Structures are given as C-alpha cells and as structure tokens.
C-alpha cells in the first residue's frame, strides 16, 4: 500500500495510530521566531512548545521558523510541503519507540528569498521571543580575543547597508529598530547553543554590532532586551533512511524528514525575558537565577565527552557513539577523563549529584538505538573544542591538574585533520568550515610537531605551555609513528 504523505490534510487519518496534535493549529499565533530549524530545535524547544499547546492550549506561543542560509532551503521546502508537521521518534535504550507528530511550528520563512518578511515577522506585536540555534560557530566570535569579528564581509555589508541584513545580527537589529519605531517592547533574544554563558556572549556580540551600526538602538537594547543564559540538552542524531522507512512500514506515514532523539530532555534557563515567556516550568523546564554551574557541567562533561569518544572513535573505525561505548577501552578512557580532568574543575551544582550525572551520561551515550554517528560529533570540531575541551585543559594546566586525556584528543584531532583516513584506511570526511586551515596546519606535523597548535584562534596560547607541549609532542609522534589510538588510550587507563 502506498504510504500517505504527512500534511495538514491527511493528519486526521493518522490519528489513533500515531499521536497527532489535538489543538487547533490554525488558531496558533507565533509568539516565537526561531532561527536555525535543525534536528535539535525540533527535538527540544519545538517539542516543549508542542506539549504546552497540547496540555495547556497556550495558543500564543507557536513557532515561526527562519532559515538565514541558502543551505536551509532543503528543510524549508520539506517542511512547507508538510505544512510544517514532522514526526519525532523517541528511541529508548530498551527498544521501545514512541512516535508523535509535532505541530508547534506553523510557518517558515527563508531569509534569502524574503528578507523583509523575516524582519516584519520579528517586528510583529505577536512575537515575544526570537530564539537561536545557529551552532557554536554561528556567533561570529573570535575565541582568542573574545570579541565580535567585524571583518566578516557579510557583517561589513550590513553595517554599511542596515536595510540589507545578511546575518543574524543584521536581521535582529533591523527588527528591533522597527519595534522601537512602532513603540513596541523588544523581544527576548534566547540563545539555545552549547556555549557557556550563551546569553551573555550573545548580548555582548549584539551590542558590539549595534553600537557600530546604530548607537541609539544599541542604548535601547542595552536597557531593554533580555538575553537569558540557557543550558539545553537532548541527544539528536542525524536522521537516517531507516528512520523514514520505519514510519512508512509501521504507520504507513510518509514523512520526508522526521527527527530521532533520546528520551532524556533538559532545559535550564535564566528567568530574564523582556516581553513575557511561555509557562514552560509546567513541563519541567527549570528557571533559575544563574545557569552558569549547569552549563559548565553539561558542556564540559557531555559535549566534551562526546568529542573524547568521537575523535579517536573515528580514527579507530567506530561508526557511532554507542559503538565506542561498547568498547571497554573507549568507555573507561572517557569516564577517567571525566573523573580526573573535568570533575576537579567543576563547582557544585545545586540538586545534582555529579557521580550520578556522569553515570547517566554513560547510559545515554550507550543507548544502542540512537546510533549517533561519530561524524556528527567530529563535525565542526574547530568551533566545538575551544568551547567544550580546551578550557578544561587550560584550567588544569593553570592549577597543576591532570591534562593528558585532553591532550591525547588534540593529538588525535591533528592526525585526523591531516590524513582524512582511519586506521583501516577508510576515508574520513572532514566536515568543518575551517577544514582547509586545519588540514594545512596538521600536514606540517612531520616537519614541525607543534604546527597544528599554531592556530591560535583555536588553541589560544597553549603552544607556550611547556608541560603541555612536551606531552602533546610525545603523543603526536607516537600516533604519526603508527601507534594505534586505541593502544595509546589503553596504556593510559
Ligand atoms: C554534541 C551535541 O555536536 C556535538 O558535539 O555533543 O550535539 C550533543 O549531542 C548535544 O549537545 C546534546 O545535548
């Protein structure tokens, strides 16, 4: 039997077999404009809002998606065809699967096609929050100086032509300008990316940009716009053909781009909103006055833990994070990294038992039904490691703590960036906006062992720390000498 396409017209035909929205989607207003509609937004924020609509009929808080890049066209086309509906497939470790059609997204604008519509939508009185998942690298932030990168040509363009925005900075300031002119309160700018102090950093970047472009507006923003810090968490692997087939076979449902995720979900947010917020606390979202200890714990353990498995995993030939966890050497190495290098630098987090938190991370990583690819984890490591791993290494060097686990990961990353093949001679695709720079720097290693570390926008001044470079050189030479990464890990645990 031919499967039935997921869209508003067909939705009632799926009811009873798979959970579908019960609220009246036509009455939902977009209180949130979200930039960056990827898998993560769809498994996390859009799912929370869906539940709020479902359980509390919070009709003011629907989501209008925005894609800023040409690369967003594929998801835009797909969601539009499906009337912005998609299926969320929750994969439990024991094999149970729950599928639910999510209806909280009710519009999508592609900025490259209709820039003015995007600005109008954000400037609309209904819009109360503009949230972001634009990835760690999307904030146009120089990680060495901590400053906004004014050299970016798109930014240069929008400074010169404020009515022709291209980046998130140009769009949001244009919309805020409109709101100010119309006497409307500003929206909250809510960053949902894995960056420590994501709200503070976003604020700093926006104010730097606005001060150059429109100092009057900058003043208003400084006084009025809330930029809450937030910690977000739900492991969301890349959707595979098997997931699409699963829905077809099981429910006769044809969804071109469902989202798969783990059962775990967490969101901790600072209660600092400029224009109201949805009552997400009803669904277990934690509103706190200081998110710092939560985000540090999560980024340094979970996100770094992923990289600590994924980079050597890719070299060794493990395809997924759960395959890494099935390998005792990898699992033990990761736990020891957490125990010896991360735990000592973390502050106590109210209400959280760190040992239990780490145990739960091990269980989540080991979930055999998530099949989170190491390639997803390794992608954009140049943006991730300076936020997830390198600060831990620096803090340990400063206080005489253990740093060899993190060091091995950097040495492995150098080899990975240089060779583009794993230890079984299979090709490794390097997905990184800094791919060429990484490769250039790494391939000099046989002549100059420290060459990779000279990329100061990634490594800061690590190259000047002797105990570290000594260890790094030792390790990089062993790896280049043909020692297997797994053996090196084994010797350390
Ligand atoms: C991952 C994250 O991309 C990565 O490196 O660590 O996407 C991670 O899965 C999420 O942050 C989990 O909340």
């Amino acid at each position: 039997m031919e499967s039935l396409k997921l869209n508003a017209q067909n939705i009632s035909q799926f009811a009873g077999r798979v959970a579908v929205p019960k609220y009246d989607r036509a009455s939902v207003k977009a209180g949130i404009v979200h930039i960056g509609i990827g898998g993560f937004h769809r498994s996390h924020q859009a799912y929370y809002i869906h539940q709020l609509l479902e359980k509390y009929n919070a009709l003011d808080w629907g989501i209008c998606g925005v894609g800023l890049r040409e690369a967003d066209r594929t998801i835009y086309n797909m969601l539009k065809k499906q009337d912005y509906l998609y299926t969320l497939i929750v994969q439990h470790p024991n094999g149970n699967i729950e599928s639910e059609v999510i209806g909280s997204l009710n519009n999508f604008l592609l900025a490259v096609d209709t820039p003015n519509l995007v600005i109008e939508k954000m400037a609309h009185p209904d819009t109360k929050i503009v949230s972001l998942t634009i990835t760690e690298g999307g904030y146009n932030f120089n990680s060495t100086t901590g400053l906004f990168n004014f050299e970016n040509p798109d930014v240069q363009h929008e400074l010169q032509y404020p009515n022709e925005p291209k980046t998130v900075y140009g769009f949001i300031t244009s919309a805020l300008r409109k709101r100010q002119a119309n006497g409307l309160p500003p929206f909250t700018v809510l960053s949902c990316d894995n960056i420590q102090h994501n709200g503070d950093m976003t604020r700093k970047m926006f104010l730097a940009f606005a001060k150059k472009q429109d100092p009057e507006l900058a003043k208003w923003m400084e006084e009025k716009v809330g930029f809450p810090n937030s910690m977000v968490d739900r492991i969301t692997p890349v959707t595979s053909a098997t997931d699409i087939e699963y829905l077809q076979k099981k429910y006769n449902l044809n969804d071109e781009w469902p989202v798969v995720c783990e059962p775990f979900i967490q969101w901790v947010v600072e209660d600092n909103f400029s224009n109201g917020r949805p009552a997400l606390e009803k669904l277990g979202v934690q509103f706190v006055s200081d998110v710092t200890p939560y985000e540090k714990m999560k980024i340094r353990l979970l996100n770094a833990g992923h990289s600590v498995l994924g980079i050597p995993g890719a070299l060794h030939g493990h395809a997924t994070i759960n395959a890494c966890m099935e390998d005792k050497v990898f699992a033990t190495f990761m736990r020891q990294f957490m125990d010896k290098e991360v735990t000592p630098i973390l502050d106590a987090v109210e209400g959280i038992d760190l040992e239990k938190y780490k145990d739960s991370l091990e269980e989540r990583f080991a979930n055999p039904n998530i099949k989170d690819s190491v390639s997803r984890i390794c992608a954009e490591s140049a943006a991730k490691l300076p936020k997830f791993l390198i600060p831990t290494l620096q803090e340990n060097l400063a206080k005489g703590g253990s740093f060899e686990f993190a060091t091995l990961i950097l040495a492995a990353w150098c080899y990975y960036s240089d060779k583009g093949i794993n230890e079984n001679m299979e090709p490794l695709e390097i997905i990184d906006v800094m791919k060429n720079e990484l490769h250039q720097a790494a391939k000099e290693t046989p002549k100059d062992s420290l060459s990779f570390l000279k990329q100061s926008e990634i490594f800061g001044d690590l190259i000047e720390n002797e105990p570290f470079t000594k260890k790094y050189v030792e390790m990089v030479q062993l790896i280049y000498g043909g020692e297997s990464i797994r053996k090196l890990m084994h010797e350390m645990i």
Side-chain angles (χ1 to χ4, degrees):
M1 183 166 53
E2 213 186 298
S3 57
L4 203 61
K5 283 193 188 344
L6 176 61
N7 58 33
Q9 201 195 333
N10 293 342
I11 189 90
S12 57
Q13 303 197 43
F14 299 112
R17 285 182 290 144
V18 60
V20 299
K22 292 195 278 294
Y23 44 92
D24 173 20
R25 289 185 73 231
S27 326
V28 175
K29 290 196 256 175
I32 301 174
V33 172
H34 184 81
I35 306 181
I37 305 291
F40 177 70
H41 170 76
R42 295 198 286 150
S43 75
H44 190 263
Q45 187 179 337
Y47 171 66
Y48 273 120
I49 296 291
H50 168 77
Q51 288 183 82
L52 208 62
L53 287 161
E54 195 76 359
K55 296 187 182 147
Y56 302 100
N57 213 30
L59 297 174
D60 288 345
W61 291 107
I63 304 171
C64 170
V66 166
L68 291 184
R69 307 160 311 151
E70 183 55 40
D72 295 314
R73 190 174 295 280
T74 320
I75 183 109
Y76 164 78
N77 285 339
M78 179 300 267
L79 279 171
K80 203 169 163 198
K81 251 197 290 182
Q82 296 187 175
D83 301 311
Y84 317 105
L85 293 164
Y86 64 92
T87 320
L88 187 64
I89 308 175
V90 180
Q91 292 277 4
H92 290 261
N94 66 2
N96 283 354
I97 305 177
E98 292 164 280
S99 305
E100 177 162 8
V101 175
I102 307 298
S104 49
L105 263 173
N106 62 4
N107 195 358
F108 196 131
L109 301 169
L110 197 57
V112 277
D113 288 353
T114 54
N116 291 332
L117 283 187
V118 171
I119 298 170
E120 267 159 38
K121 190 76 196 170
M122 290 183 187
H124 194 280
D126 286 349
T127 301
K128 310 233 163 36
I129 295 174
V130 174
S131 51
L132 314 172
T133 45
I134 54 175
T135 78
E136 294 75 31
Y139 287 84
N140 198 45
F141 170 91
N142 179 322
S143 59
T144 321
T145 60
L147 299 175
F148 189 73
N149 173 18
F150 283 103
E151 276 151 42
N152 176 335
D154 286 344
V155 167
Q156 293 272 331
H157 182 94
E158 48 196 20
L159 284 175
Q160 212 176 344
Y161 307 101
N163 296 328
E164 294 177 20
K166 288 184 180 296
T167 74
V168 65
Y169 294 99
F171 277 100
I172 287 186
T173 47
S174 290
L176 286 171
R177 204 169 6 255
K178 249 199 165 144
R179 293 184 82 98
Q180 190 190 25
N182 294 342
L184 287 174
F187 45 72
T188 300
V189 179
L190 177 59
S191 164
C192 300
D193 282 293
N194 286 312
I195 299 173
Q196 233 171 290
H197 313 309
N198 52 9
D200 298 344
M201 192 277 286
T202 307
R203 180 173 196 269
K204 186 172 158 193
M205 295 303 116
F206 268 97
L207 292 182
F209 176 84
K211 276 184 186 147
K212 270 246 160 105
Q213 197 201 45
D214 184 344
E216 272 303 300
L217 180 73
K219 237 206 247 134
W220 190 65
M221 287 172 67
E222 201 159 10
E223 280 165 22
K224 298 259 159 60
V225 181
F227 291 87
N229 289 306
S230 77
M231 179 269 246
V232 293
D233 193 7
R234 188 170 224 187
I235 295 174
T236 309
V238 178
T239 306
S240 72
T242 324
D243 306 319
I244 296 171
E245 277 159 29
Y246 166 78
L247 293 176
Q248 279 171 345
K249 289 211 181 98
K250 175 109 189 181
Y251 301 111
N252 201 30
L253 183 160
N254 180 351
D255 181 344
E256 285 181 33
W257 204 335
V259 181
V260 178
C261 64
E262 61 172 343
F264 182 92
I265 185 164
Q266 190 177 19
W267 199 2
V268 188
V269 197
E270 275 171 21
D271 207 347
N272 167 27
F273 288 73
S274 16
N275 194 7
R277 63 161 175 83
L280 289 163
E281 66 277 10
K282 292 182 180 161
L283 302 167
V285 173
Q286 296 158 263
F287 286 93
V288 299
S289 56
D290 181 12
V291 131
T292 312
Y294 297 90
E295 56 186 7
K296 183 167 180 188
M297 169 188 82
K298 191 262 171 169
I299 292 172
R300 305 291 185 93
L301 287 169
L302 185 150
N303 297 100
H306 258 163
S307 298
V308 163
L309 292 171
I311 292 174
L315 280 183
H316 180 71
H318 288 317
T320 60
I321 291 297
N322 55 291
C324 294
M325 289 302 287
E326 277 164 32
D327 182 333
K328 262 256 137 348
V329 171
F330 276 69
T332 312
F333 183 92
M334 199 247 341
R335 181 65 190 231
Q336 290 195 6
F337 158 76
M338 290 181 167
D339 291 343
K340 293 185 179 165
E341 300 193 352
V342 188
T343 307
I345 61 162
L346 292 179
D347 305 316
V349 189
E350 211 194 296
I352 292 192
D353 175 335
L354 262 188
E355 293 310 303
K356 289 210 184 103
Y357 183 74
K358 289 184 280 184
D359 294 345
S360 83
L361 292 181
E362 286 181 329
E363 281 167 33
R364 292 169 60 195
F365 288 174
N367 183 337
N369 304 312
I370 284 292
K371 301 187 178 60
D372 196 6
S373 63
V374 295
S375 72
R376 180 185 82 88
I377 299 301
C378 296
E380 306 306 338
S381 284
K384 290 175 179 172
L385 298 189
K387 300 184 176 83
F388 301 170
L389 185 75
I390 294 169
T392 297
L393 183 57
Q394 284 161 330
E395 284 175 49
N396 279 317
L397 286 168
K399 58 181 243 346
S402 162
F403 59 88
E404 56 177 4
F405 287 80
T407 305
L408 184 67
I409 299 308
L410 297 187
W413 184 37
C414 170
Y415 190 81
Y416 171 98
S417 306
D418 179 2
K419 301 293 176 191
I421 49 169
N422 70 15
E423 292 176 357
N424 311 321
M425 299 305 212
E426 291 149 352
L428 285 177
E429 195 198 348
I430 300 171
I431 307 168
D432 207 300
V433 286
M434 290 196 59
K435 177 179 167 159
N436 296 333
E437 291 88 337
L438 291 168
H439 178 70
Q440 283 303 323
K443 84 179 190 351
E444 300 302 318
T445 306
K447 280 185 259 148
D448 167 8
S449 307
L450 294 177
S451 133
F452 194 58
L453 300 177
K454 289 186 177 156
Q455 306 175 90
S456 61
E457 64 285 23
I458 298 175
F459 298 105
D461 55 7
L462 267 183
I463 195 164
E464 277 151 38
N465 186 297
E466 262 195 55
F468 164 70
T469 52
K470 192 163 164 266
K471 187 94 253 143
Y472 174 84
V473 168
E474 233 173 70
M475 288 174 165
V476 101
Q477 287 179 351
L478 284 167
I479 300 176
Y480 273 78
E483 199 64 278
S484 94
I485 190 74
R486 188 172 185 279
K487 177 144 179 265
L488 292 174
M489 293 163 88
H490 197 187
E491 281 164 4
M492 284 169 59
I493 57 182

